[in-house]
Amino acid sequence: MPEVPPLPRAPALTSLVARVFGGAPGAAAAPGCPDDAGPLAGAVPEFEPRPGQRDMALAIAGIFEQGGRMLVEAGTGTGKTLAYLVPAILSRQRVLVSTGTKNLEEQIYFKDLPALADALGVRFTATYMKGRANYLCLQRLQTLRESRGGSSSSGVRPSTGSGRGELVEPRRRESDVGPRLSDSRPRTSDFGRADTDPLFGLLLDWARETETGDRAELGDLPEDLPLWNEVAATSDACLGSNCPHYNDCYVTRMRRRAAESDIVIVNHHLLCADAAVRQGEYGEVIPACAYAVIDEAHQLEDVATQYFGIAVSNYRVEELCHDAEQVIGAHGLDREGFELGQSIEHLRDRARTFFMGLQFGRMAGPNYQGSGEDRIRLNSEFLADNADAGHELGGALEGVEQVFCAIKDAPEDALAIARRAGEIRDELRFLLRASDPDFVYYLETRGHGVFLRASPIEVSRIIRTQLLDRFQAVVLTSATLSVAGSFDYMRSRLGVHPANELRLASEFDYSQQAILYLPPRMPDPRSPAFPEAAAEQIVEILERTRGRAFVLFTSYAMLRAVQPAVERAVTFPIFVQGAAPRSVLLQQFRTTAHAVLLATSSFWQGVDVVGEALSCVIVDKLPFASPADPVTSARMDAIARRGGEPFWEYEVPLAILTLQQGLGRLIRHRRDRGVLSVLDPRLRTKAYGQAFLEALPPAPLTTSLDAISRFFAE
Ligand code: SF4
């Protein structure tokens, strides 16, 4: 993101925000009093005055006025989105809002902002920017079409302006029906294989019509459709301003819209991906913004670690080979001789040897669990074993770079192939050296994917310089940012120094709305007896809550160990993470009476089920990050090297925040009621357990299963 110049102050902002939320700054709020509610009452569905929301809005208005950074922990029920959107809109400056989940992005764009436009009577514009891979790349579509045998002129009408060809044909008549995957009528396309490939025909039909290029318009497109990966507007494959479609490009248009908007909504993935693109020409899309609100900020460290790292994978090399073949086919470059095709085949061959070698090395290692998904830290022996194959792969990448550079009058997309090959070669060499002490080097496997990775051990400096310093004022907020009343942990992890702080307790009354059940006796969670005892407790609890529960596990291994016993013992419908996409499972859970969901990490946060459908959340163990994980172990090593205590400085605070997120799934509304349970006995048997107990929601504690029955009988 470009830097923004200093802004004139807007001294009236705090007063404006105070008027919206009712009462003067510093005045006591009067919850429930309509006269104090301001213009939001009536215009925003279910709005009710909340002191915490008003305090948060005023504090954010203040930081926008003064500049600087602020951490705001807003407990559940604060209504934090309105608390930051109102000052953002009234500031009359461009404000970036970044969230951790798609759900929250959509809530802000489709629900909160329209409601506020009505309520505030202020005209403003907003753009919802998705990640680049959600948009169609016109250049890649044209290359794909031409490589499949379509004529380069058949679908391209001359542009009246730039003299460059346009891919998109005139829009069809209004009465034409938009494409649907279920529509399997034969296509009468003029683009080669489109006649025989219904998905490609569908894509071309849609490409002629779409105004946004957003794949969401193709509602029933499978998430992992390989065809989409061939035409997605990823930064890797982008030609930037050298692209003949640059002006019509959907990403360019999205960026222009955002640059003219008052509110720009992104997610942390796009925020970090954008900041990680240092050259700007080939991928930067987020425009300069004066202020930023980073919601769900507890997720930022993980996302930044992912995007500011380096990864070379078999998928990335194969994608390069595939795109190179498309370019050869589209431009008839095979006439250049055999070298281009041969260089790609050679690259494929070297990549196969290298990545298979990594796989074999991993399987022969001492920590191999037989799992399809794991991460192992690389050591010098492992790297030495694979160095020769790695250097040969580097040489093959260099070969592709050279032959594509040497093409006479090379088209831009051929030069882009050379550039990508050179980038992958450089990154591979960095990974094989494994010598930068600021990075942790590891091998990750996921399905058929083999990823050689380097992640920054500390991202706090990167977050500060690449993200936070770009804005006049930044607010980082979440329901869980502090540990034992202190923001120290989050300040150090995110590089937020100095910063104002605000902590707002949950608006929910846990003393009335929930109870916390801790089993009186449980084996140590590391003992072989734990899974069986956990299954027994889960069954006992579910019988009393009549299902309606999330059972959140800290690992797939525990889920798998417990699942059969629970399935045998209860008659409630059971859904299991992995059986369907997350959104489908959630929808099934919401609409199935007495459902039980067995899940791991991806359901611990960002999941909202309001009402009776979710009346119980059970957590198996304290969610300590695995010390075997390469990034976790490297971070702990780094803290130990500077004389700190990794367990207390890193592991405990991280686990407390994760536990709070998991248990926070239960009460999402004033009328919600239910049972929280943590089966891990270390809460009471270990010295550190007290730190966890103090961080739990303030619900009455019980060790009696009968208390659960009584709670639901009330
Ligand atoms: S500018 Fe990049 S993303 Fe846009 S059409 Fe061209 S290559 Fe594709």
Side-chain angles (χ1 to χ4, degrees):
M1 285 165 285
E3 301 283 351
V4 289
L7 295 168
R9 296 279 181 252
L13 182 57
T14 309
S15 305
L16 286 174
V17 170
R19 238 178 279 158
V20 170
F21 284 95
C33 171
D35 290 343
D36 267 0
L40 300 183
V44 175
E46 294 198 43
F47 178 82
E48 53 188 45
R50 302 176 219 192
Q53 185 179 55
R54 194 194 62 159
D55 290 350
M56 180 172 171
L58 290 171
I60 291 174
I63 207 79
F64 283 177
E65 284 180 336
Q66 297 153 20
R69 296 169 192 151
M70 184 163 66
L71 290 157
V72 183
E73 181 176 76
T76 45
T78 303
K80 62 180 162 40
T81 53
L82 294 192
Y84 59 70
L85 289 175
V86 168
I89 292 165
L90 296 180
S91 74
R92 313 310 294 168
Q93 302 292 340
R94 185 172 308 115
V95 181
L96 182 81
V97 176
S98 183
T99 75
T101 57
K102 187 176 168 198
N103 283 353
L104 187 54
E105 283 178 290
E106 292 184 346
Q107 178 201 312
I108 290 170
Y109 187 72
F110 293 111
K111 191 170 146 234
D112 295 343
L113 289 177
L116 287 174
D118 289 344
L120 300 177
V122 175
R123 286 179 66 83
F124 63 91
T125 52
T127 297
Y128 172 12
M129 302 179 86
K130 299 184 182 178
R132 295 182 58 115
N134 286 284
Y135 297 94
L136 176 70
C137 171
L138 295 173
Q139 172 65 23
R140 294 184 84 190
L141 179 65
Q142 178 169 345
T143 303
L144 180 63
R145 191 198 61 205
E146 289 171 1
S147 73
R148 286 185 171 208
S151 138
S152 63
S153 60
S154 60
V156 180
R157 62 186 164 86
S159 163
T160 49
S162 63
R164 290 166 168 167
E166 289 180 12
L167 178 71
V168 182
E169 289 186 337
R171 287 173 61 77
R172 295 195 296 185
R173 293 189 312 277
E174 290 282 305
S175 57
D176 286 354
V177 180
R180 294 285 179 273
L181 275 182
S182 53
D183 177 1
S184 57
R185 289 170 299 165
R187 302 279 161 189
T188 53
S189 164
D190 52 353
F191 301 133
R193 275 179 50 194
D195 288 333
T196 54
D197 181 347
L199 282 181
F200 192 44
L202 169 73
L203 191 71
L204 290 170
D205 282 353
W206 170 71
R208 290 187 193 97
E209 293 190 324
T210 179
E211 293 284 347
T212 66
D214 182 350
R215 64 171 285 172
E217 291 175 7
L218 288 159
D220 32 15
L221 200 68
E223 265 178 37
D224 53 353
L225 187 71
L227 178 60
W228 181 261
N229 295 337
E230 293 185 42
V231 294
T234 55
S235 58
D236 229 13
C238 181
L239 308 183
S241 54
N242 295 325
C243 173
H245 300 289
Y246 185 74
N247 284 323
D248 298 318
C249 166
Y250 295 114
V251 175
T252 309
R253 283 152 63 177
M254 173 181 72
R255 186 183 196 285
R256 284 194 196 120
R257 272 199 311 279
E260 291 164 1
S261 295
D262 302 299
I263 308 287
V264 178
I265 301 155
V266 301
N267 60 34
H268 299 344
H269 291 262
L270 180 57
L271 179 70
C272 293
D274 206 68
V277 178
R278 292 173 189 89
Q279 289 79 20
E281 188 181 2
Y282 292 107
E284 197 180 39
V285 293
I286 300 176
C289 295
Y291 309 140
V293 177
I294 300 178
D295 199 346
E296 298 172 324
H298 62 280
Q299 298 181 20
L300 191 59
E301 184 182 19
D302 272 356
V303 181
T305 303
Q306 188 182 332
Y307 282 91
F308 289 102
I310 285 171
V312 172
S313 67
N314 54 342
Y315 288 158
R316 190 175 171 199
V317 176
E318 177 49 36
E319 197 170 283
L320 174 73
C321 293
H322 182 84
D323 286 356
E325 285 171 339
Q326 303 287 8
V327 169
I328 292 171
H331 297 287
L333 296 175
D334 32 0
R335 288 191 298 270
E336 299 276 327
F338 291 115
E339 275 196 22
L340 295 177
Q342 272 178 351
S343 72
I344 294 167
E345 272 321 299
H346 182 58
L347 175 56
R348 273 210 176 94
D349 185 57
R350 295 298 90 193
R352 203 175 300 121
T353 305
F354 177 62
F355 288 108
M356 275 176 61
L358 295 179
Q359 275 278 33
F360 284 136
R362 161 186 164 259
M363 288 155 76
N367 298 323
Y368 180 61
Q369 306 281 328
S371 148
E373 300 196 5
D374 61 12
R375 311 206 296 183
I376 57 162
R377 201 168 173 174
L378 298 179
N379 55 35
S380 51
E381 192 186 341
F382 187 94
L383 285 166
D385 286 348
N386 293 282
D388 288 348
H391 291 305
E392 284 183 27
L393 174 58
L397 285 159
E398 199 160 287
V400 170
E401 182 186 15
Q402 285 169 357
V403 294
F404 275 78
C405 268
I407 296 170
K408 192 164 176 292
D409 300 325
E412 277 300 331
D413 47 5
L415 293 175
I417 294 294
R419 171 180 58 80
R420 282 168 64 187
E423 283 171 4
I424 299 175
R425 177 207 57 210
D426 291 346
E427 292 181 14
L428 178 67
R429 287 179 179 164
F430 174 82
L431 290 160
L432 291 172
R433 276 196 303 275
S435 58
D436 189 326
D438 292 335
F439 283 81
V440 52
Y441 298 82
Y442 56 100
L443 181 71
E444 180 175 317
T445 50
R446 254 190 284 141
H448 296 296
V450 184
F451 302 77
L452 195 58
R453 289 188 186 278
S455 294
I457 295 172
E458 299 289 339
V459 288
S460 58
R461 186 181 50 78
I462 299 172
I463 290 175
R464 190 174 64 246
T465 56
Q466 306 287 321
L467 293 178
L468 308 184
D469 285 355
R470 305 277 179 127
F471 304 99
Q472 303 290 314
V474 184
V475 176
L476 297 108
T477 186
S478 166
T480 53
L481 285 182
S482 73
V483 177
S486 162
F487 286 95
D488 286 354
Y489 171 77
M490 209 44 91
R491 277 174 186 279
S492 70
R493 302 312 307 174
L494 300 182
V496 192
H497 304 283
N500 293 2
E501 295 174 357
L502 180 66
R503 285 183 68 221
L504 300 163
S506 170
E507 292 280 328
F508 301 138
D509 183 357
Y510 275 90
S511 67
Q512 299 296 320
Q513 292 181 256
I515 57 169
L516 173 63
Y517 168 72
L518 303 180
R521 277 171 302 281
M522 283 292 286
D524 186 278
R526 287 157 297 190
S527 104
F530 185 80
E532 190 183 336
E536 282 170 13
Q537 282 293 325
I538 291 166
V539 170
E540 293 286 354
I541 297 168
L542 293 180
E543 294 296 348
R544 286 161 177 81
T545 61
R546 291 178 294 127
R548 306 183 298 166
F550 276 6
V551 188
L552 300 178
F553 294 93
T554 44
S555 68
Y556 268 113
M558 260 304 284
L559 188 158
R560 282 193 291 265
V562 166
Q563 179 186 350
V566 174
E567 285 180 333
R568 275 196 304 275
V570 303
T571 54
F572 308 115
I574 293 180
F575 300 103
V576 181
Q577 181 176 335
R582 189 172 102 137
S583 56
V584 174
L585 277 180
L586 259 184
Q587 189 55 21
Q588 289 173 335
F589 180 88
R590 286 192 180 106
T591 54
T592 305
H594 305 285
V596 176
L597 176 73
L598 310 182
T600 63
S601 56
S602 61
F603 282 83
W604 282 68
Q605 48 186 299
V607 176
D608 257 325
V609 179
V610 174
E612 282 192 12
L614 182 61
S615 297
C616 174
V617 172
I618 304 170
V619 165
D620 67 334
K621 298 180 188 179
L622 298 180
F624 287 114
S626 165
D629 179 77
V631 177
T632 303
S633 70
R635 287 186 172 151
M636 291 171 66
D637 290 349
I639 293 169
R641 271 199 304 276
R642 62 168 162 73
E645 294 189 57
F647 182 68
W648 287 103
E649 287 181 38
Y650 183 66
E651 281 201 284
V652 168
L654 183 59
I656 285 176
L657 292 172
T658 308
L659 182 63
Q660 288 175 327
Q661 278 291 331
L663 296 177
R665 300 307 98 211
L666 181 68
I667 305 294
R668 310 303 295 173
H669 191 276
R670 283 190 198 285
R671 287 190 290 276
D672 284 352
R673 298 179 80 240
V675 178
L676 299 166
S677 181
V678 183
L679 306 181
D680 192 329
R682 293 175 294 180
L683 265 179
R684 286 178 299 169
T685 59
K686 298 288 183 188
Y688 56 77
Q690 190 59 31
F692 285 87
L693 280 173
E694 286 169 7
L696 295 178
L701 193 152
T702 180
T703 55
S704 158
L705 284 164
D706 290 342
I708 300 176
S709 308
R710 285 197 297 275
F711 177 81
F712 283 109
E714 284 171 8

